[in-house]
Amino acid sequence: MTLLTFCAVGSVNSALTAPLNVTIRELEVNTAIVTWEILEGDPVIGFAITQQKKDVRMLRYIQEVNTTTRSCALWDLEEDTEYIVHVQSISMGGSSPPSDPVSFRTPRESEKLASTVSDQVNREEMEQAVQLRVGELIIIVVVLVMWAGVILLFCRQYDIIKDNEPNNNKDKAKTSSECSTPEHPQGGLLRSNL
């Protein structure tokens, strides 16, 4: 009876559709995450994921039941190796046909390190650029405040000079009339006060 139950659970259920949009995300040297979608209304209670190295007959079978999760972590992968993944939906009546195969290649450790180093360099460059922009902004603000101070000081001094200017014009007018040209006999260079 146990064998019969196993066959019923392991059989393909024609009512279930294969998972859709199976994709690989967060691909690392030794790990990856496989994600998928299912049609609404399928009576799914779990999923089965098969992972196989390309050109090798051995495969890993991961079965998760009582879950609504639409992703699974793949672990213990080898670097620079091509894998093929299938996902099946599981219901009380059996499992769906396998999804379309998805193949992916894990990166080399050196490639991952190079991308990590370039990411760190890019982050450091961004932080330095932000720091430079902040420093430049501070310098610009200080210069503008100084110029505003100089302009205010000039305006204040100009008002003081302007207030004193009408008195100076009257004095200049008197002095200029006293020092008139020879054409005006009442004053000028030829006249003396002796």
Side-chain angles (χ1 to χ4, degrees), residues 77-102:
L77 304 176
E78 295 178 14
E79 71 175 283
D80 194 27
T81 304
E82 193 163 345
Y83 289 92
I84 300 170
V85 174
H86 297 273
V87 181
Q88 288 178 284
S89 298
I90 300 172
S91 72
M92 294 299 283
S95 58
S96 73
S99 66
D100 292 333
V102 174

Side-chain angles (χ1 to χ4, degrees), residues 74-186:
L74 305 176
W75 68 95
D76 201 25
L77 304 176
E78 295 178 14
E79 71 175 283
D80 194 27
T81 304
E82 193 163 345
Y83 289 92
I84 300 170
V85 174
H86 297 273
V87 181
Q88 288 178 284
S89 298
I90 300 172
S91 72
M92 294 299 283
S95 58
S96 73
S99 66
D100 292 333
V102 174
S103 61
F104 65 95
R105 178 178 287 279
T106 55
R108 290 185 175 131
E109 184 73 33
S110 58
E111 292 172 358
K112 197 64 182 171
L113 286 175
S115 69
T116 304
V117 168
S118 68
D119 288 346
Q120 288 174 349
V121 168
N122 288 341
R123 257 187 259 123
E124 289 173 3
E125 288 175 355
M126 292 286 286
E127 289 172 2
Q128 287 176 351
V130 168
Q131 288 174 351
L132 284 176
R133 288 185 188 137
V134 169
E136 291 170 354
L137 187 62
I138 290 171
I139 290 171
I140 290 170
V141 168
V142 167
V143 168
L144 289 175
V145 167
M146 289 177 61
W147 271 107
V150 167
I151 290 170
L152 287 174
L153 183 63
F154 175 78
C155 289
R156 187 171 176 216
Q157 292 298 325
Y158 180 75
D159 286 342
I160 292 170
I161 292 169
K162 188 177 174 184
D163 288 343
N164 292 333
E165 189 173 292
N167 295 336
N168 289 341
N169 283 341
K170 290 177 186 174
D171 292 341
K172 285 181 182 177
K174 284 183 183 177
T175 18
S176 65
S177 65
E178 289 175 0
C179 302
S180 60
T181 60
E183 299 163 354
H184 298 339
Q186 294 161 332

Side-chain angles (χ1 to χ4, degrees), residues 1 3 5 8 12 15 26 35 37 39 44 62-63 68 105 119 123 133-134 138 156 172:
M1 180 133 178
L3 181 58
T5 308
V12 174
E26 300 179 29
T35 61
E37 297 173 4
L39 291 178
V44 176
I62 305 166
Q63 184 172 349
T68 57
R105 178 178 287 279
D119 288 346
R123 257 187 259 123
R133 288 185 188 137
V134 169
I138 290 171
R156 187 171 176 216
K172 285 181 182 177

Side-chain angles (χ1 to χ4, degrees), residues 2-20:
T2 310
L3 181 58
L4 185 60
T5 308
F6 176 77
C7 290
V9 172
S11 67
V12 174
N13 185 353
S14 62
L16 285 178
T17 57
L20 308 166

